[in-house]
Each structure stands twice: as structure tokens, then as C-alpha cells.
């Protein structure tokens, strides 16, 4: 009879549907399918897709590769902690190390060029949040995540941590430069 | 079989209560409200810190408050209340004795001890790990132990619920199929069993790890399995509050489901697919392929979204039909204009439906789209979204249910006249503003769980756009409104339960089930079949609802493609 | 309901129309419980864990 009483009909499965429900189900289903196929569609025709490329590795191995890149392409140091700034050649592999509570090195990239950026944490989870672009990616310890990124316009950007990582979480920020 | 069954029939509603079940409902509801009180007090600190113009708490206290706010609200308030709903939907609606009340009490006390232990861990100050407690950030062992005890207690309650279904069937306390609301509760309980089992798989090793008995917990494994628990528990809420919507329509309007078949099949889609969506928390993570992400985040082709869209139509639709049969049959919207806008349970359920659909539902699909997640993950958009789902959707629906249950369970009048109605409006509208502005700030990149987005004193600062700051300030103002609404709820509930005017029940008597039970609640007499009873327009029984549904769809489609447009402007990435 | 106890003679509904399979499924909470656990366990948990376990190791 009502939703808090058992159905009056013993067999309710065969009751006819009203037109409202039928029409709405069809419309909603079509919309659901459109939303579903939008995702594979964007993998084929869209520009912004999160890479599937990832490897298991150890913090030591990752830090070693990062240090090699810093040694090769360092151009200067910045900030009171003298964080190295690297300017890697286009197309190269760059390692960005997240740890409590800093990002290293600072990257200087060229607009319009692509880079393979490896993201990994040395300790806990961190969040790579590139502002003001607003690209947000989870950074795990033990998983080397390889993104191919193409900065579009020159400017000063910031990487802030947006995965809670303890008491100084809100201090974990680094610049990222894009030059012509 | 035991025949020691004490029932009473509620003189106002005709509902039949098994006294042991009723007592469990009361206690679970009371503890739930206590958790809401604690969570609400903590919300003051959290809100006034995020509102940077005030910036009330120091960083350590802020993160501690935030952890406790999340846990007390999301876990303890909601799940205690849901236990009461499970007992109501099984024992009361099936007019059946509750299976093993003793076990139900064991479950209840385990939950209470678990909640206390977990709160103790957070209070210690060394467990400010957020309710997600992502390993390898570790909390005190009592943090996990508390959650595990709580989960075991909840699991026991689920089995008491299933046991009651078995008894009801065996003792033939109802004919044919269970009521739709009970079916919704079954859906919630099924999801709960999966949720708790998954929780055990991840929390038990984490407990052992915190005790030093296990060397290592992998962060990605943790997040994958933890969200099977963390998100599924939100799906319990969805199933539960959708059931409350149906119950509200039935109680306030005597509305009959438009079609049992459609509504139950929609719940079936929840059972099949709702829990897969846990994957939307992992869209920005490495190591899981797009295949897994797309299939799971979309609930296998959005079939659970389809189900929610169906419920979103059929609940107001059934109300429209009931109203039209009462004679409000003119034009498209007379049924809505003449709805009882002064009736607190109705207002709460109505705002819950609209807010959950327009704000929570649409934003949830955005975040759950693989690529769109890139511009949303871990920003304030996320808590903006879930305050729309779990606060406007679930909490407000439960508040409405409370106003219905106070007279029924506690036999007291709801205190302070029509303040309850005002409460529903104030809380619902403020919370909507709060969520919207939070999402706005998130769209501009402001992070969640962040003590200071001004980065004061940091050599590498970042300045968020002025609009983001404006959004945060508006969020603060509407948040204060929501706090006022929450406080009103607590005041009304606590006062009514302890000091409210008693409802006199002269002919009250406890009857044993053997002597037969009171008659069923009187359904509205008109148009018994509901269908084709000569109401509606355009060959539809609920044309007004259909128009509203199309408005909803249009906003959904527009907002969806606006987000894709926005995504297409950010740096190419592959 | 009071009168239900009288009608519980086995087989008193043999003449009634059979209940369709879908309705029988919806009326069977334990079958639904099984489905509701099996589906996400396989599609979400097991599939997901397999992907993580099978990730290659960085050179
Ligand atoms: C009474 C009004 C409420 C206000 C003003 C409020 C305010 C807030 C604020 C400002 C945050 C912090 C967001 C951040 O920094 O990331 C937050 C987080 C949260 N709130 Fe509320 N809230 C309220 C009610 C509720 C209710 C009723 C629930 C659940 C039923 C809830 C669940 C949560 C959860 C789960 C979090 C996330 C905690 C975390 O990120 O770990 N809130 N709330
Ligand atoms: Cu961090
Ligand atoms: Cu952080």
C-alpha cells in the first residue's frame, strides 16, 4: 500500500509502469552511457589524461636518480634551505622528490616542451597540486609515477601539498618556473 | 519457539513496536545524537580556523579537531543512527520480534566502547591522522582498535537485522514481499556487511603494524582497500537515506511507491554496483590502470547513478500522485505549492532530496569522472561535495526522521512549536550555501585539510586568487548558519526527549503477538491503485516531477561539459 | 496480521500465479547479500589488488 507496508499485490513484478518512469529511465540511461563513454573518448581525443605508467621502487633508488639529474642540470639554488633549481632538456626524465615537508628539486621548464616527470614520496603520502593550473595527483612512497607534462605558457607556478602529511603539511610548497 | 513477545501499538501512527527493539532504537538514536553534538562542537573550531579571517586554532589543534570531527560525524553519528533505522525497518515495519536482542546489546556496547576508545586515541594528541588514517602515517593502536570494535558491533547489528528478517518470514508476520523501506534497509545492510568485512581486511593489519608486529603497510594497498571500506560506508548512507525518503513520503502523504518494480530494481542496482565507486578516490593515484579506474569509478557504466536518478524521480513522483489524488490536481505544480511547508519531516526530506541531487549528486559524478578528478582531487571541492551528500542528504533526512520518531519512540511532543520546521530550513539552506562555496573555493584550487592557505612566512608562498578568498569567507558565513541550525536540532531533540510534553496514551496496552496485533496503519483511502486514477497530465501521473527532473538533467549536462571545458584548458598530460 | 496464522496451511497458494524469477531474487535477502559481496570483491578489490601486485619494478 505504502512504502512502509508490504506491497498489496502478491505479484508486483508484472505491474505496468507509468509513462513518467519509463521515459525517465530511458533518458537517464542514455545520459549515463554518454558519461561513461566520455572517459575512453578523452583517452583517445583529449589532452589531459593521467599516466598509467608506474613502477615499484625504493626511496633510495629514486633519490639516487633524482640526485643524478640535479648534479647534471642544476642552474642555481633558492630559498633559505638552498633547494637546487634544475633546468632539464626537453623530453628528458626529471625526478621530483616529495618528503616531509618539501619538494625537491625546483623545476625550470620550457613552455611548449614535454618532460617526463617522475613523482614519488620518500616517506608518507603527499599531494602534488600545481597552482594555479589546478592539476592534482596523489604521491605515494614506493611508487614511481611517470607523467608526461607539457607546460603551455611561461610563468611562476606553485606546487603545494594537498594530501595531509602531518603537522607541517601546510608549509610544503615549492615554486615551478616555466620559461619561454 | 519463544513466545515471550511484548508489543505495543503506537496510538498515533499505528506502528507496532517490539519493546526490546524499541529500546535499542532509542539508545542507538540517543548515542548518535551525542556523537553529533561532539562533532558539532568540533565543527566550530574547524570552521572558524578554515575561515582564515578568523583562523581560530593553532595547527596541531586544528588537525586534531578535524580528525575528531570527521570520525564523530561521519562514522559515529551516522552509523549509530543507521542501527536504529535497521531495527525500525525490520522489527517495526515487519511487525516482528527482534532476533536475539541480547546480541544486539552486545553489538551496541561494542560500538560504544569502540567509539570511546577511538575518541580517546584522538584526544591523546598522537593520532591526528584524519579519519582516513592513511598508512604509513600511523596512529596510536587504540585508534584502530576502537574502529575495529565499533565495526564488529555494527556487524553484529547487521546480523540481528538479517535474523529478524528470517523470523518474520518464518512466523509469517507479513504477507508476500517486505515493504519497500525494509528493502532499502536490506540494501543498506548488505552494503554494510561488505563495508565492514573490507574494513577488517585493512584495519586489522594496520593495528598489528601500529603495535610493531608487522613490518610494513603499503600505502597504495592501504588506500585501495581502505576506500573499499571508507566509501562503501557512504553508500550505506545513500541506501539508508533513500529509504528514509520513501518512508517520509509514506508517512507524511500516505504516498504509495509509483512502482514497486522500478524502485526495488533501483535498489538492486545499488547492491550490484554502488560499492565499486570506491575507485573514485583512487583516480589520481599511480599503479592502477585506467581500465580498472573507468569501470569501477563509473559503477559499471553509471548504473548506480541511474538508480539514484530513478529514486530522485520516484520519491517526489509518488508524493505528486498522492497530492493529486487529494485534489491538488491543477496545473503542473499545485501539488508542490500546496505541500505541507510547515511540516518539519517533510521540509527536511524535501531539502534532503533536492540538495542531495543537485549539489551532492552532480558534484559527485564530476569528481568521479576519471579525467575531471585531476582538477578536483583533494581540493576543498571534495568536502564541499560530501557535506552536500552526507550532511544535506543523510543528516538532514535523519533529522526529519527524528521529528517523526520523537512522538513515536519517546512519546513526547516535539518541543518549541514550529522551531523544528525552521531548523530544517536554516540547516538545509545554510549547509547548501556552505557546500557550494566550499566547492567554489576548491574549483579555484584551495586544498582540503589545510591549516593556512595564505602560506604566511613561507619563503615560497603562493597567493590564491581573490575569488577563492571570497568563497572561503562565504563558506565561513554559511557555515555559521549551519552550526546554528545544528544547535537548534540538538536543542529541540534533547529538550523534547527529556523534558517534552508527554503524549497521553489512555488506551495504551502491551499485547502479546499471540493475541494478535493492532490493525495496520490506515492508508489514505483515495484511489487505492495509484495508477491511472485520473490524475496528472500529458498521459503522465506525475508531470510536475518530470519537469523538475528535466531541470535537474539540464543542470547536470551543462555543468558536466563546463568541467570538461575547464579541464581542456590545463596543461596537456599523459 | 491476526488472520495470517490461519492461512499457513502448506500449499494453500498452489493455484495462484507463480512469482516471476526477478521478484523471487528481490525477495531473497541472502542471495542478494551474496551478490552484494561477491561483485565488489571481485571487480573492485581483487582486480585492484592484482594490478598493484603486478606492477613492474623500476630499472
Ligand atoms: C554543522 C555544520 C558543519 C560544519 C560547519 C562543518 C564544517 C566542516 C569543515 C570546515 C571541514 C573542514 C574541511 C577541510 O579543511 O578539509 C569539515 C570536514 C568534514 N566534515 Fe564537517 N561540518 C559540519 C557538519 C558535518 C556533518 C553533519 C558531517 C557528517 C555527517 C560532517 C563530516 C565531515 C567530514 C567527514 C569532514 C572531513 C574530515 C577530513 O577531511 O578528514 N560535517 N567540516
Ligand atoms: Cu606533503
Ligand atoms: Cu601534505
Amino acid at each position: 500500500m505504502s512504502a512502509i507496508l508490504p506491497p498489496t499485490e502478491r505479484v508486483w513484478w508484472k505491474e505496468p509502469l507509468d509513462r513518467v518512469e519509463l521515459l525517465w529511465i530511458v533518458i537517464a540511461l542514455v545520459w549515463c552511457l554518454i558519461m561513461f563513454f566520455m572517459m575512453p573518448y578523452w583517452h583517445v581525443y583529449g589532452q589531459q589524461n593521467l599516466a598509467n605508467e608506474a613502477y615499484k621502487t625504493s626511496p633510495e633508488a629514486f633519490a639516487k636518480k633524482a640526485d643524478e639529474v640535479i648534479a647534471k642540470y642544476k642552474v642555481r639554488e633558492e630559498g633559505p634551505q638552498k633547494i637546487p633549481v634544475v633546468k632539464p632538456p626537453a623530453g628528458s626524465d626529471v625526478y621530483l622528490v616529495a618528503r616531509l615537508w618539501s619538494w625537491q628539486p625546483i623545476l625550470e621548464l620550457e613552455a611548449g616542451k614535454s618532460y617526463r616527470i617522475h613523482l614519488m614520496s620518500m616517506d608518507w603520502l603527499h599531494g602534488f597540486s600545481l597552482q594555479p593550473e589546478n592539476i592534482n595527483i596523489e604521491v605515494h612512497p614506493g611508487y614511481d609515477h611517470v607523467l608526461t607534462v607539457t607546460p603551455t605558457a611561461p610563468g611562476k607556478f606553485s606546487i603545494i601539498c594537498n594530501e595531509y602529511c602531518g603537522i607541517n603539511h601546510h608549509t610544503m610548497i615549492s615554486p615551478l618556473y616555466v620559461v619561454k | 519457539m519463544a513466545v515471550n513477545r511484548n508489543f505495543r501499538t503506537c496510538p498515533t501512527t499505528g506502528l507496532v513496536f517490539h519493546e526490546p527493539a524499541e529500546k535499542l532504537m532509542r539508545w542507538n538514536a540517543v548515542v548518535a545524537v551525542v556523537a553529533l553534538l561532539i562533532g558539532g562542537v568540533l565543527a566550530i573550531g574547524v570552521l572558524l580556523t578554515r575561515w582564515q579571517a578568523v583562523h581560530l586554532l593553532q595547527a596541531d589543534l586544528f588537525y586534531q579537531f578535524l580528525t575528531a570531527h570527521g570520525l564523530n560525524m561521519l562514522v559515529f553519528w551516522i552509523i549509530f543512527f543507521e542501527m536504529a533505522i535497521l531495527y525500525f525497518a525490520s522489527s517495526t515495519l515487519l511487525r516482528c520480534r527482534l532476533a536475539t536482542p541480547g546480541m544486539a546489546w552486545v553489538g551496541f556496547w561494542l560500538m560504544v566502547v569502540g567509539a570511546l576508545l577511538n575518541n580517546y586515541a584522538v584526544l591523546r594528541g598522537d593520532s591526528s591522522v584524519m579519519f582516513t588514517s592513511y598508512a604509513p602515517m600511523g596512529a596510536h593502536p587504540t585508534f584502530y582498535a576502537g574502529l575495529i570494535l565499533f565495526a564488529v558491533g555494527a556487524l553484529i547489528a547487521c546480523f540481528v537485522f538479517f535474523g529478524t528478517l528470517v523470523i518474520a518470514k518464518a512466523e509469517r508476520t507479513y504477507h508476500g514481499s517486505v515493504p519497500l523501506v525494509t528493502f532499502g534497509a536490506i540494501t543498506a545492510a548488505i552494503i554494510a556487511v561488505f563495508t565492514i568485512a573490507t574494513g577488517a581486511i585493512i584495519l586489522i593489519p594496520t593495528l598489528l603494524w601500529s603495535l610493531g608486529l608487522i613490518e610494513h603497510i603499503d600505502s597504495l594497498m592501504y588506500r585501495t582497500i581502505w576506500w573499499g571500506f571508507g566509501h562503501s560506508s557512504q553508500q550505506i548512507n545513500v541506501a539508508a537515506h533513500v529509504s528514509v525518503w520513501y518512508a517520509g513520503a509514506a508517512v507524511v502523504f500516505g504516498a504509495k511507491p509509483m512502482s514497486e518494480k522500478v524502485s526495488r530494481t533501483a535498489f538492486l542496482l545499488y547492491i550490484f554496483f554502488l560499492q565499486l565507486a570506491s575507485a573514485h578516490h583512487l583516480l589520481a593515484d599511480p599503479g592502477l590502470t585506467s581500465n580498472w579506474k573507468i569501470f569501477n569509478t563509473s559503477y559499471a557504466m553509471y548504473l548506480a547513478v541511474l538508480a539514484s536518478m530513478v529514486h530522485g524521480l520516484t520519491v517526489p513522483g509518488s508524493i505528486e500522485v498522492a497530492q493529486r489524488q487529494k485534489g491538488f490536481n491543477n496545473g503542473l505544480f499545485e501539488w508542490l505549492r500546496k505541500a505541507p511547508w510547515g511540516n518539519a519531516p517533510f521540509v527536511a526530506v524535501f531539502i534532503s532530496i533536492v540538495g542531495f541531487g543537485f549539489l551532492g549528486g552532480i558534484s559527485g559524478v564530476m569528481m568521479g569522472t576519471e579525467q575531471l578528478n585531476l582538477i578536483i582531487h583533494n581540493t576543498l571541492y571534495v568536502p564541499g561535495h560530501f557535506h552536500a551528500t552526507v550532511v544535506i542528504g543523510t543528516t538532514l533526512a535523519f533529522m526529519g526522521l527524528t521529528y517523526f520518531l520523537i512522538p513515536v519512540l519517546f512519546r513526547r511532543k516535539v518541543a518549541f512549536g514550529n522551531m523544528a520546521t525552521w531548523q530544517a530550513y536554516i540547516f538545509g539552506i545554510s549547509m547548501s550555501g556552505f557546500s557550494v562555496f566550499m566547492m567554489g573555493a576548491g574549483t579555484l584550487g584551495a586544498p582540503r585539510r589545510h591549516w593556512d592557505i595564505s602560506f604566511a612566512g613561507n619563503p615560497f608562498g603562493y597567493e590564491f586568487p581573490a575569488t577563492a578568498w571570497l568563497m572561503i569567507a562565504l563558506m565561513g558565513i554559511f557555515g555559521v548558519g549551519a552550526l546554528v541550525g545544528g544547535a537548534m536540532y540538538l536543542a529541540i531533540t534533547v529538550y523534547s526527549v527529556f523534558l517534552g510534553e508527554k503524549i497521553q496514551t489512555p488506551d495504551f496496552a502491551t499485547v502479546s503477538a499471540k493475541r494478535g496485533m493492532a490493525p495496520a496503519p490506515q492508508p489514505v483511502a483515495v484511489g487505492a491503485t495509484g495508477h491511472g486514477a485520473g490524475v496528472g497530465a500529458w498521459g503522465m501521473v506525475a508531470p510536475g516531477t518530470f519537469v523538475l527532473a528535466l531541470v535537474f538533467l539540464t543542470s547536470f549536462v551543462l555543468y558536466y561539459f563546463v568541467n570538461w571545458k575547464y579541464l581542456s584548458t590545463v596543461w596537456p598530460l599523459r | 496480521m491476526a488472520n495470517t496464522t490461519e492461512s499457513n496451511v502448506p500449499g494453500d497458494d498452489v493455484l495462484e500465479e507463480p512469482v516471476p524469477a526477478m521478484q523471487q531474487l528481490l525477495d531473497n535477502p541472502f542471495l542478494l547479500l551474496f551478490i552484494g559481496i561477491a561483485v565488489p570483491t571481485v571487480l573492485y578489490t581483487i582486480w585492484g589488488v592484482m594490478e598493484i601486485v603486478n606492477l613492474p619494478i623500476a630499472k
Side-chain angles (χ1 to χ4, degrees):
Chain A
M1 196 56 250
S2 88
I4 55 171
L5 295 176
T8 28
E9 304 296 316
R10 197 181 63 96
V11 175
W12 39 261
W13 183 257
K14 293 186 176 160
E15 279 174 27
L17 298 189
D18 186 76
R19 188 183 292 173
V20 196
E21 284 183 295
L22 209 58
L23 210 58
W24 180 244
I25 291 172
V26 172
I27 295 173
L29 182 63
V30 169
W31 173 236
C32 289
L33 291 176
I34 292 175
M35 290 196 296
F36 177 78
F37 286 108
M38 219 25 225
M39 291 187 280
Y41 168 87
W42 201 261
H43 272 280
V44 180
Y45 298 102
Q47 298 287 307
Q48 295 79 10
N49 289 290
L50 187 62
N52 277 318
E53 187 178 351
Y55 305 94
K56 275 189 88 72
T57 184
S58 68
E60 297 74 39
F62 190 85
K64 191 163 156 261
K65 288 184 197 163
D67 289 341
E68 282 164 15
V69 172
I70 293 173
K72 249 204 231 145
Y73 302 120
K74 178 161 129 179
V75 288
R76 60 177 185 278
E77 288 171 344
E78 267 189 25
Q81 282 155 42
K82 302 216 181 322
I83 306 218
V85 181
V86 299
K87 188 167 186 213
S92 67
D93 284 69
V94 193
Y95 296 81
L96 183 59
V97 177
R99 60 158 59 91
L100 299 167
W101 286 278
S102 68
W103 302 94
Q104 218 192 21
I106 295 171
L107 304 180
E108 189 166 299
L109 309 175
E110 268 179 65
K113 301 277 164 55
S114 299
Y115 300 85
R116 278 167 55 83
I117 297 186
H118 296 243
L119 284 179
M120 194 172 112
S121 159
M122 297 291 107
D123 33 53
W124 293 349
L125 284 171
H126 296 283
F128 172 95
S129 175
L130 183 75
Q131 296 301 334
E133 278 306 291
N134 204 9
I135 294 175
N136 306 282
I137 297 163
E138 194 78 27
V139 185
H140 281 262
Y143 293 90
D144 173 354
H145 194 186
V146 194
L147 322 163
T148 304
V149 182
T150 317
T152 45
K156 183 184 172 213
F157 296 82
S158 290
I159 303 169
I160 62 178
C161 178
N162 73 354
E163 180 60 83
Y164 171 67
C165 55
I167 186 68
N168 285 328
H169 161 56
H170 49 270
T171 63
M172 188 166 161
I173 178 170
S174 159
L176 182 152
Y177 302 101
V178 178
V179 295
K180 272 220 174 23
Chain B
M1 222 172 255
V3 277
N4 174 23
R5 293 170 289 188
N6 297 312
F7 291 87
R8 79 171 175 92
T9 302
C10 172
T12 8
T13 56
L15 291 169
V16 174
F17 287 93
H18 180 226
E19 303 239 317
E22 192 187 7
K23 192 164 173 206
L24 277 156
M25 284 175 224
R26 282 203 298 260
W27 277 75
N28 275 287
V30 166
V31 176
V33 171
V34 172
L36 182 70
L37 169 68
I38 299 172
V41 171
L42 294 161
I44 302 174
V46 173
L47 178 77
L48 295 185
T49 308
R50 287 278 357 206
W51 187 3
Q52 291 236 195
V54 186
H55 214 56
L56 183 68
L57 301 176
Q58 286 308 305
D60 54 346
L61 267 188
F62 168 73
Y63 292 127
Q64 195 180 357
F65 269 50
L66 186 54
T67 306
H69 170 70
L71 285 161
N72 280 293
M73 289 299 205
L74 194 68
V75 185
F76 305 138
W77 143 249
I78 290 200
I79 297 189
F80 272 113
F81 203 94
E82 277 163 357
M83 296 301 121
I85 292 182
L86 285 189
Y87 296 141
F88 179 82
S90 54
S91 168
T92 305
L93 293 185
L94 297 178
R95 310 152 65 77
C96 173
R97 68 189 171 89
L98 192 75
T100 60
M103 285 309 288
W105 283 108
V106 172
F108 172 77
W109 286 111
L110 278 175
M111 287 171 72
V112 171
V113 171
L116 288 174
L117 200 59
N118 178 271
N119 268 298
Y120 159 77
V122 179
L123 198 65
R124 288 170 55 92
D126 59 0
S127 301
S128 303
V129 293
M130 305 295 139
F131 72 95
T132 42
S133 57
Y134 291 138
M137 180 193 283
H140 192 262
T142 49
F143 182 96
Y144 311 106
L147 286 180
I148 292 169
L149 288 183
F150 182 85
V152 172
L155 190 63
I156 293 177
C158 290
F159 285 116
V160 170
F161 169 82
F162 282 112
T164 308
L165 298 182
V166 173
I167 294 181
K169 193 162 187 108
E171 297 183 356
R172 293 214 178 196
T173 64
Y174 66 98
H175 243 352
S177 308
V178 298
L180 180 59
V181 172
T182 307
F183 190 73
I186 293 177
T187 307
I190 289 173
I191 299 176
V193 173
F194 173 77
T195 302
I196 295 168
T198 312
I201 295 178
I202 194 62
L203 287 176
I204 292 174
T206 311
L207 171 64
L208 298 178
W209 169 72
S210 75
L211 290 167
L213 299 174
I214 287 184
E215 191 68 17
H216 177 72
I217 298 275
D218 182 85
S219 63
L220 185 56
M221 283 289 189
Y222 181 94
R223 264 173 66 82
T224 307
I225 301 185
W226 193 91
W227 279 114
F229 160 68
H231 198 82
S232 302
S233 74
Q234 302 321 300
Q235 316 292 29
I236 311 175
N237 306 341
V238 174
H241 75 231
V242 170
S243 311
V244 172
W245 294 349
Y246 279 110
V251 172
V252 179
F253 298 93
K256 172 191 189 300
M258 294 182 80
S259 127
E260 296 280 353
K261 173 170 154 181
V262 169
S263 298
R264 286 176 202 243
T265 308
F267 276 122
L268 182 67
L269 290 175
Y270 279 178
I271 294 173
F272 269 94
F273 302 120
L274 203 50
Q275 303 154 72
L276 303 183
S278 308
H280 65 221
H281 291 273
L282 292 133
L283 297 178
D285 288 48
L288 292 155
T289 64
S290 292
N291 299 339
W292 182 87
K293 287 177 179 173
I294 293 178
F295 180 83
N296 280 288
T297 193
S298 70
Y299 318 77
M301 304 208 187
Y302 288 109
L303 294 177
V305 171
L306 175 67
S308 290
M309 288 172 79
V310 167
H311 291 306
L313 177 94
T314 59
V315 177
S318 69
I319 294 178
E320 176 171 355
V321 173
Q323 286 281 80
R324 284 178 184 277
Q325 286 171 344
K326 280 182 200 137
F328 304 126
N329 196 19
N330 292 325
L332 273 180
F333 294 118
E334 191 194 20
W335 63 276
L336 193 58
R337 278 200 313 278
K338 299 269 170 72
W341 293 106
N343 173 311
F346 167 73
V347 174
V349 165
F350 183 83
I351 300 180
S352 166
I353 296 175
V354 174
F356 181 78
F358 277 86
L359 302 179
I362 294 182
S363 63
V365 171
M366 297 311 131
M367 299 195 302
T369 302
E370 193 203 5
Q371 295 91 343
L372 295 182
N373 187 267
L374 276 172
I375 52 174
I376 296 176
H377 181 71
N378 271 354
T379 65
L380 268 182
Y381 195 97
V382 178
H385 152 77
F386 66 68
H387 280 83
T389 53
V390 93
V391 186
I392 305 176
T394 309
T395 300
L396 189 55
F398 289 0
M399 287 173 168
L401 186 62
T402 316
Y403 297 136
F404 167 71
L405 286 181
I406 286 174
V408 175
L409 284 182
F410 294 91
R411 280 179 268 146
R412 305 244 189 194
K413 284 212 174 103
V414 176
F416 307 132
N418 56 9
M419 189 162 125
T421 313
W422 282 104
Q423 189 275 331
Y425 283 114
I426 292 176
F427 189 75
I429 292 170
S430 313
M431 209 66 216
S432 307
F434 172 84
S435 305
V436 166
F437 292 118
M438 215 177 200
M439 289 192 253
T443 305
L444 296 166
R448 71 184 288 199
R449 297 174 167 176
H450 203 279
W451 179 66
D452 181 16
I453 63 161
S454 74
F455 303 100
N458 195 306
F460 305 123
Y462 172 69
E463 212 164 309
F464 278 100
T467 348
W469 287 96
L470 178 66
M471 296 280 180
I472 297 233
L474 288 167
M475 168 195 109
I477 293 167
F478 278 87
V480 170
L483 287 171
V484 171
M488 285 166 75
Y489 169 78
L490 291 168
I492 297 169
T493 309
V494 173
Y495 188 90
S496 311
V497 165
F498 293 105
L499 301 167
E501 188 189 330
K502 282 213 167 117
I503 297 171
Q504 297 304 327
T505 44
D507 49 355
F508 170 74
T510 297
V511 281
S512 84
K514 267 186 133 182
R515 282 193 282 132
M517 285 186 237
Q522 285 308 302
V524 272
V526 270
T529 57
H531 285 293
V535 297
W538 309 338
M540 293 178 181
V541 288
T545 304
F546 189 69
V547 170
L548 295 180
L550 291 180
V551 171
F552 169 79
L553 185 72
T554 314
S555 347
F556 196 169
V557 173
L558 287 177
Y559 186 61
Y560 183 72
F561 287 110
V562 164
N563 274 287
W564 280 105
K565 179 82 192 121
Y566 171 24
L567 177 74
S568 73
T569 64
V570 310
W571 291 2
L573 200 67
R574 74 197 133 73
Chain C
M1 272 159 245
N3 59 357
T4 55
T5 38
E6 275 99 71
S7 66
N8 60 359
V9 193
D12 64 346
D13 48 15
V14 280
L15 294 179
E16 292 179 38
E17 179 184 6
V19 174
M22 272 307 282
Q23 184 176 330
Q24 283 185 20
L25 168 69
L26 290 167
D27 282 345
N28 186 339
F30 292 96
L31 188 53
L32 295 176
L33 177 63
F34 174 76
I35 295 172
I37 291 176
V39 170
T41 302
V42 172
L43 293 175
Y44 176 87
T45 314
I46 296 182
W47 182 5
V49 168
M50 291 309 289
E51 287 201 341
I52 299 173
V53 170
N54 289 325
L55 271 183
I57 306 222
K59 282 183 276 302

